[in-house]
Amino acid sequence: MIALLSLAAGAAGGVLWIRRRMVVITVRGVSMRPTLRAGDVLIGRRTGAGRLRSGQIVVVEMPDPGADWKSWSWPDRASHFMIKRLAAVPGEPVPAAARDRLGPGTVPAGSVVVLGDNLQESVDSREIGYFPVRRVVGVAVRTYRRSPEDIPG
């Protein structure tokens, strides 16, 4: 009986450890096409700001939309996530695609610029602005499962 309880406690501890280190998210929509398709499942590693690099695919918390695109607010707790490409980290130049919204210059400390691979169909830093680094949940490690092409989205 004690061995069984120890095994169950170890398994529960392992699950908690994995949940703190990893994030699993299913792709919805077309903003990351052709790289990712609706129905793909990503496994991401939770990471700190110092490990972020331009070009990585990241999972970010989605802000709550306000009355217009310029007044998005950040909830106390995320209810939804977005998958985007990390286009620039603090100290790097603002990407040309985001300059209409963010202006020229460099990305300020504590912020990142994220863009969808499918710019025509993506809500990203071009509409929302800078994303706080603390809202980056994790970096994609791999696609767990590829979806068939006929899945809508």
Side-chain angles (χ1 to χ4, degrees), residues 28-68:
R28 308 236 186 272
V30 297
S31 71
M32 287 300 291
R33 278 187 175 260
T35 308
L36 301 170
R37 300 181 306 226
D40 289 350
V41 177
L42 294 184
I43 297 175
R45 181 185 74 249
R46 294 184 189 270
T47 187
R51 299 180 126 188
L52 297 175
R53 304 284 178 261
S54 294
Q56 293 174 313
I57 295 176
V58 293
V59 178
V60 294
E61 294 177 5
M62 179 185 285
D64 289 331
D68 61 43

Side-chain angles (χ1 to χ4, degrees), residues 11-24 43-44 46:
V15 167
L16 288 175
W17 182 84
I18 288 171
R19 287 189 60 130
R20 294 186 133 207
R21 309 281 283 172
M22 306 301 282
V23 61
V24 177
I43 297 175
R46 294 184 189 270

Side-chain angles (χ1 to χ4, degrees), residues 91-149:
E92 292 183 346
V94 172
R99 286 188 193 138
D100 284 348
R101 168 84 162 118
L102 303 176
T106 59
V107 178
S111 299
V112 295
V113 176
V114 296
L115 299 172
D117 286 358
N118 181 358
L119 292 176
Q120 293 77 25
E121 298 291 333
S122 180
V123 174
D124 49 37
S125 287
R126 295 168 305 139
E127 288 83 19
I128 299 168
Y130 292 111
F131 277 66
V133 169
R134 71 180 184 281
R135 300 298 183 170
V136 177
V137 176
V139 175
V141 177
R142 68 174 284 196
T143 301
Y144 175 69
R145 174 188 52 138
R146 299 296 293 197
S147 65
E149 278 293 326

